[in-house]
């Protein structure tokens, strides 16, 4: 048996607690019963001695008392006014003619009762004794004593003690069985969880734990299952990430390598053709630099190492600057940028440059995926606690099945036309993280063939809060 197993530890703890409770309870129960039994015996002796004393006070017939005692199998002895035993109980040390101690005689003469334990000097047997005075009309005639063997009392108490011990042993074994069942019931799910986590650690992320209860163990099982799901999602995402990054890096590198070889080996007809190849190499190197920069920024955001220069900024100014920068690209495609900014909006606490990056990315995306129409930018105060910004286009739109994934890294809706539209596939992932890290939210809705709308919300806080 492995002594460090939880079933042993848990079982041992429960049994120890059971013993800690059982032993004091057994001891107290034994003491209470012993005291109660002794008190009942003493009470019976007092009643008997009082009856015999009353009988002798009225009859003055000690012989009759002796006959009654023998008939009732009760040990009785009677002393006269001088303290001499005139009726003996059949105990050698209390034979006829023996005198009781003077202090007892004096106490009896004053009407006091005698309660004591007496030990026979010949046999060593101990007795519980109750003595009462014999008085009639205030005249003292002696006293009567009733005895009960302590051995008989001890035997009765011992039987009860034996019964208590047997009951305790029985309760102990029942507790052991109960503890074993409970320990196994509690430890089996934990053992299953241990086995499941070891499988998960070895890469078997399909492993799941059975949830058999709704208590803390059930919550732990749910947590392990959720961990397995998250790890599986992480592994799939990581594999997809490496595949995507490999593809995104390999494509420009292939272009650069091919056209550089053409230029190096002079495989062109005219100087114009040579410049065209060099231009392609430059564009692909710029695209590669942009991709690496975006990856670096996104990595820092996800690791929590991204720093912001937070200050009070006017979002209206930020959006106006962005639309001014993006206006040339819109004009080249024959698009119009429509801006509707509510006046006198309060400033927000954010990083101005990063906010410009967010809106420039969204507006350039709207221009990139729109062939005609207008890009709408609207900002207003939705309620007393937040500002709402809509960036809407009349472009190709996004299918509903694709919407949950557009903030994922390298995700593109038009995969077959990705190079025609350009971009690294990281822009919306960066936008999503920048918005979240500055306390905002971003949502998207779209309809294929009609356009896409991004809704951003940023909280309004008082200037004392930061």
């Amino acid at each position: 048996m492995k002594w460090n197993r939880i079933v042993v530890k848990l079982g041992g703890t429960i049994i120890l607690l059971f013993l800690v409770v059982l032993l004091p309870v057994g001891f107290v129960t034994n003491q209470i019963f012993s005291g109660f039994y002794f008190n009942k015996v003493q009470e019976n002796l007092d009643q008997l001695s009082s009856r015999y004393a009353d009988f002798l006070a009225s009859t003055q017939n000690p012989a009759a008392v002796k006959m009654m005692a023998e008939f009732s199998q009760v040990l009785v002895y009677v002393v006269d006014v001088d303290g001499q035993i005139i009726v003996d109980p059949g105990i050698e040390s209390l034979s006829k003619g023996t005198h009781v101690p003077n202090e007892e005689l004096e106490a009896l003469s004053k009407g006091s009762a005698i309660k004591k334990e007496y030990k026979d000097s010949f046999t060593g047997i101990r007795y519980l004794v109750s003595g009462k005075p014999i008085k009639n009309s205030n005249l003292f005639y002696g006293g009567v004593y009733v005895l009960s063997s302590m051995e008989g009392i001890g035997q009765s108490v011992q039987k009860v003690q034996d019964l208590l011990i047997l009951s305790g042993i029985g309760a102990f074994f029942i507790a052991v069985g109960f503890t074993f069942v409970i320990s196994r019931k509690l430890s089996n799910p934990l053992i299953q969880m241990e086995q499941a986590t070891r499988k998960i650690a070895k890469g078997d992320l399909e492993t799941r734990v059975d949830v058999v209860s709704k208590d803390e163990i059930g919550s732990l099982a749910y947590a392990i299952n959720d961990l397995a799901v998250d790890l599986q999602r992480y592994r799939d995402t990581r594999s997809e990430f490496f595949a995507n990054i490999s593809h995104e890096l390999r494509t420009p590198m292939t272009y650069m390598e091919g056209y550089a070889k053409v230029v190096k080996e002079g495989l062109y007809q005219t100087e114009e053709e040579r410049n065209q190849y060099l231009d392609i190499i430059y564009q692909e190197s710029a695209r590669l630099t942009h991709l690496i920069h975006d990856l670096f920024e996104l990595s820092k955001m996800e690791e929590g190492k991204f720093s912001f220069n937070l200050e009070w900024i006017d979002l209206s100014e930020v959006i106006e600057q962005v639309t001014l920068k993006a206006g040339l690209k819109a004009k080249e495609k024959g698009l119009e940028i429509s801006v509707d900014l509510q006046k006198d909006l309060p400033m927000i606490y954010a990083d101005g440059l990063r906010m410009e990056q967010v809106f420039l990315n969204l507006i350039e995306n709207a221009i990139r995926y729109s062939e005609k129409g207008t890009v709408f930018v609207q900002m207003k105060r939705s309620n007393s606690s937040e500002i709402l910004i809509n960036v809407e286009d009349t472009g190709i739109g996004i299918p509903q099945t694709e919407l949950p994934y557009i903030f994922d890294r390298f995700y593109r809706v038009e995969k077959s036309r990705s190079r025609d539209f350009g971009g690294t596939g990281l822009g919306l992932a960066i936008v999503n993280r920048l918005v979240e890290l500055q306390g905002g939210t971003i949502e998207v809705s779209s309809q294929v063939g009609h356009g896409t709308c991004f809704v951003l919300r940023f909280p309004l806080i008082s200037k004392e809060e930061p």
Side-chain angles (χ1 to χ4, degrees), residues 347-414:
M347 291 192 292
I348 68 168
Y349 195 66
D351 187 323
L353 290 176
R354 295 303 173 185
M355 281 297 187
E356 185 177 325
Q357 182 180 353
V358 167
F359 291 109
L360 187 61
N361 195 303
L362 291 175
I363 292 173
E364 285 186 344
N365 266 2
I367 295 170
R368 184 179 297 119
Y369 292 100
S370 298
E371 298 299 330
K372 61 181 180 178
T374 305
V375 176
F376 299 96
V377 181
Q378 182 189 44
M379 183 172 70
K380 62 182 180 179
R381 187 168 184 166
S382 62
N383 54 50
S384 61
S385 61
E386 66 179 15
I387 285 180
L388 182 143
I389 305 100
N390 292 327
V391 179
E392 187 174 359
D393 63 52
T394 54
I396 60 176
I398 304 170
Q400 293 297 315
T401 55
E402 308 275 359
L403 285 177
Y405 310 105
I406 64 166
F407 294 116
D408 292 350
R409 293 172 296 189
F410 298 111
Y411 192 82
R412 287 194 179 93
V413 177
E414 289 286 337

Side-chain angles (χ1 to χ4, degrees), residues 180-402:
F180 178 77
V181 173
I182 293 297
S183 300
R184 290 302 295 266
K185 186 175 179 62
L186 292 175
S187 64
N188 280 344
L190 296 176
I191 293 171
Q192 184 191 11
M193 291 177 200
E194 180 205 4
Q195 295 169 348
T197 51
R198 291 189 183 279
K199 288 182 180 179
I200 292 172
K202 291 178 180 178
D204 185 5
L205 300 181
E206 299 291 334
T207 302
R208 296 293 182 270
V209 179
D210 296 331
V211 181
V212 295
S213 63
K214 295 183 179 180
D215 54 11
E216 290 83 354
I217 293 178
S219 299
L220 181 58
Y222 275 119
I224 291 174
N225 290 340
D226 290 342
L227 176 63
V229 171
D230 290 342
L231 287 173
Q232 189 170 19
R233 187 184 298 119
Y234 171 76
R235 185 171 67 180
D236 295 342
T237 304
R238 185 183 63 177
S239 300
E240 185 180 355
F241 170 77
F242 283 129
N244 286 330
I245 194 65
S246 299
H247 172 74
E248 293 296 333
L249 290 173
R250 184 169 59 249
T251 302
M253 293 297 292
T254 302
Y255 275 93
M256 291 167 64
E257 181 183 3
Y259 285 109
K261 184 177 181 181
V262 168
V263 173
K264 179 183 178 181
E265 296 180 0
L267 302 176
Y268 51 86
Q269 301 296 325
T270 63
E271 193 69 21
E272 182 182 353
E273 185 182 353
R274 174 179 174 274
N275 290 336
Q276 186 179 9
Y277 293 157
L278 289 174
D279 189 49
I280 293 173
I281 292 172
Y282 173 77
Q283 290 176 2
E284 292 301 323
S285 64
R287 181 170 177 267
L288 189 60
T289 303
H290 190 198
L291 172 64
I292 294 171
H293 177 265
D294 285 352
L295 275 172
F296 182 66
E297 283 205 332
L298 189 59
S299 174
K300 286 198 297 183
M301 290 181 207
E302 292 181 346
E303 290 177 5
K305 297 179 180 179
F306 198 77
S307 60
F308 289 93
N309 182 23
L310 299 176
E311 57 184 347
W312 292 102
I313 63 170
D314 186 350
L315 266 186
S316 298
E317 293 182 1
V318 173
I319 292 175
E320 286 173 355
Q321 288 177 359
V322 169
T323 54
L324 191 62
K325 288 181 180 180
L328 183 60
K329 288 185 179 180
K331 229 177 238 187
E332 289 174 355
K333 293 191 69 173
L335 300 172
E336 181 184 349
I337 300 178
S338 175
V339 180
D340 178 17
L341 306 177
Q342 183 179 331
K343 293 182 178 180
D344 300 324
L345 287 174
M347 291 192 292
I348 68 168
Y349 195 66
D351 187 323
L353 290 176
R354 295 303 173 185
M355 281 297 187
E356 185 177 325
Q357 182 180 353
V358 167
F359 291 109
L360 187 61
N361 195 303
L362 291 175
I363 292 173
E364 285 186 344
N365 266 2
I367 295 170
R368 184 179 297 119
Y369 292 100
S370 298
E371 298 299 330
K372 61 181 180 178
T374 305
V375 176
F376 299 96
V377 181
Q378 182 189 44
M379 183 172 70
K380 62 182 180 179
R381 187 168 184 166
S382 62
N383 54 50
S384 61
S385 61
E386 66 179 15
I387 285 180
L388 182 143
I389 305 100
N390 292 327
V391 179
E392 187 174 359
D393 63 52
T394 54
I396 60 176
I398 304 170
Q400 293 297 315
T401 55
E402 308 275 359

Side-chain angles (χ1 to χ4, degrees), residues 91 118-127 148-152:
I91 297 173
Y118 176 76
K119 182 179 180 181
D120 186 1
S121 57
F122 292 96
T123 62
I125 298 174
R126 302 178 68 85
Y127 297 91
S148 178
S149 173
M150 296 285 284
E151 287 187 355

Side-chain angles (χ1 to χ4, degrees), residues 434-450:
L434 285 175
V435 170
E436 288 179 351
L437 290 172
Q438 295 182 93
T441 61
I442 182 168
E443 299 171 358
V444 61
S445 59
S446 186
Q447 189 175 357
V448 176
H450 291 80

Side-chain angles (χ1 to χ4, degrees), residues 100-110 112-114 116 145:
V100 298
N102 291 330
E103 58 270 17
E104 286 187 18
L105 185 63
E106 185 178 351
L108 290 172
S109 65
K110 291 179 180 179
S112 300
I114 304 296
K116 66 175 184 177
Y145 291 81

